[in-house]
Amino acid sequence: YETALGSVSTGCFFSFSQLLNPILVYLFYSLLRFICFQLYSSSTLEMHHFDRAVTILSTEGHNILENVSSNDYKDCIHFIKEAILATDLSKHFGDRKKYKELVEGHGFDVAKRAHVDLLRSIIMTSADLSAVTKPFPAQQRVAELVYSEFFEQGDLERAFGTKSEDLQDLMNRQKLADLPKMQIGFIDFVAGPVYETLAEQFEELKVLNTEVKRNRHDWEVLKEQGPYHFITPYEVLTAKTKSAVVGELHKRHEKKAEEEKK
């Protein structure tokens, strides 16, 4: 489906996105009138990623595309921009609907450039969300780290005057115990549908959809076990000693064991 140039461009994006992935999300940037929000009218963070990618490619010693023709260079930059914008979830939901209709209606045509571009966008998002396809211990820890970042943003928003009850649940540290429930919702409404449709079109990708469903089941089991607990990176960094972290973990396990006995 993909050209060699398109594949190289997509690979470039993966590298740039990992280097330039900020913790704070769009709403917080807009709240603080961050410079990015003033520069771009839509897809604020994604456009910032693209801007920085072009800057890096323009720096001496970093332009890995310097030997391609001017036309191929323009195409490559275009592919990188489209790949980055595809990770904007507000754009993704529209793309996902179109892709689902094409697959279910057996209308996907590899000869149509628009269909291939749409598929690339879906694959970019599937890669962005791929932690939900990993073995559960890895998926669980990634989820904990991601929610930890969201909680830290919530802490900052409260510091700027936002009330706890006005925060989204995923930003509210007081909702930490509901993490399994929130992750199930994320799988059901954001990540899961992506892999379901990809699995419908590609036999080789059915294993990813199976893993997503298995992880959802494991989160369901944790939800039924009661309030969820884990040590956040913030707690590790602010603990005076390593033993304090271990002691806190032990204390929480004991508390949970006592609650289960009751």
Side-chain angles (χ1 to χ4, degrees):
Y1 291 0
E2 187 61 280
T3 64
L5 188 63
S7 298
V8 170
S9 305
T10 303
C12 288
F13 161 68
F14 278 127
S15 301
F16 293 130
S17 66
Q18 295 307 309
L19 284 170
L20 302 167
N21 190 28
I23 293 176
L24 305 182
V25 298
Y26 175 82
L27 290 176
F28 191 60
Y29 277 112
S30 63
L31 176 68
L32 296 184
R33 300 186 182 278
F34 189 68
I35 187 66
C36 287
F37 186 70
Q38 299 176 35
L39 288 173
Y40 315 114
S41 59
S42 62
S43 300
T44 305
L45 300 184
E46 290 76 21
M47 285 302 298
H48 175 58
H49 287 176
F50 172 67
D51 228 17
R52 300 313 301 161
V54 173
T55 299
I56 292 172
L57 285 173
S58 302
T59 304
E60 185 177 355
H62 294 86
N63 188 0
I64 61 175
L65 304 175
E66 61 183 348
N67 292 321
V68 303
S69 68
S70 59
N71 286 336
D72 284 346
Y73 185 87
K74 290 178 182 178
D75 287 343
C76 198
I77 293 298
H78 169 74
F79 287 143
I80 291 174
K81 182 177 181 179
E82 291 304 307
I84 292 175
L85 292 179
T87 62
D88 180 352
L89 284 181
S90 63
K91 179 179 183 297
H92 163 72
F93 290 123
D95 288 344
R96 190 177 76 187
K97 181 180 178 181
K98 294 176 186 176
Y99 176 62
K100 183 179 177 66
E101 291 172 351
L102 285 173
V103 172
E104 292 183 345
H106 305 287
F108 189 91
D109 186 350
V110 297
K112 293 183 177 180
R113 184 74 252 175
H115 290 191
V116 176
D117 290 343
L118 182 61
L119 176 60
R120 185 195 301 116
S121 294
I122 296 298
I123 291 176
M124 286 303 305
T125 302
S126 73
D128 213 25
L129 307 177
S130 63
V132 297
T133 69
K134 308 297 184 184
F136 189 70
Q139 143 70 174
Q140 182 179 19
R141 188 53 183 154
V142 169
E144 291 175 349
L145 292 173
V146 169
Y147 280 101
S148 293
E149 292 185 353
F150 285 141
F151 294 152
E152 288 172 20
Q153 176 176 326
D155 293 342
L156 286 172
E157 290 194 30
R158 278 196 296 271
F160 277 90
T162 302
K163 296 179 180 179
S164 295
E165 56 267 27
D166 293 333
L167 289 172
Q168 297 179 56
D169 285 353
L170 60 81
M171 303 287 180
N172 193 340
R173 192 177 295 277
Q174 296 173 11
K175 298 290 185 178
L176 185 152
D178 294 331
L179 190 150
K181 177 183 176 183
M182 291 189 286
Q183 189 64 9
I184 290 169
F186 171 73
I187 290 174
D188 286 347
F189 299 106
V190 180
V194 178
Y195 298 99
E196 286 177 4
T197 310
L198 283 171
E200 189 173 343
Q201 183 176 13
F202 301 101
E203 181 72 26
E204 302 88 343
L205 298 184
K206 287 185 175 179
V207 62
L208 297 180
N209 190 40
T210 300
E211 290 301 299
V212 172
K213 291 180 178 179
R214 179 185 55 76
N215 279 329
R216 187 195 185 286
H217 171 266
D218 289 345
W219 283 114
E220 193 73 53
V221 171
L222 288 178
K223 187 184 80 168
E224 296 302 319
Q225 290 178 357
Y228 188 80
H229 302 284
F230 74 97
I231 297 294
T232 66
Y234 176 80
E235 290 173 300
V236 173
L237 291 173
T238 55
K240 292 183 179 179
T241 64
K242 179 180 178 181
S243 60
V245 176
V246 175
E248 178 63 21
L249 272 174
H250 181 67
K251 184 167 64 176
R252 294 186 185 186
H253 282 303
E254 285 187 335
K255 182 180 179 181
K256 186 174 182 180
E258 290 177 3
E259 291 175 349
E260 290 175 350
K261 287 180 181 179
K262 294 179 182 179

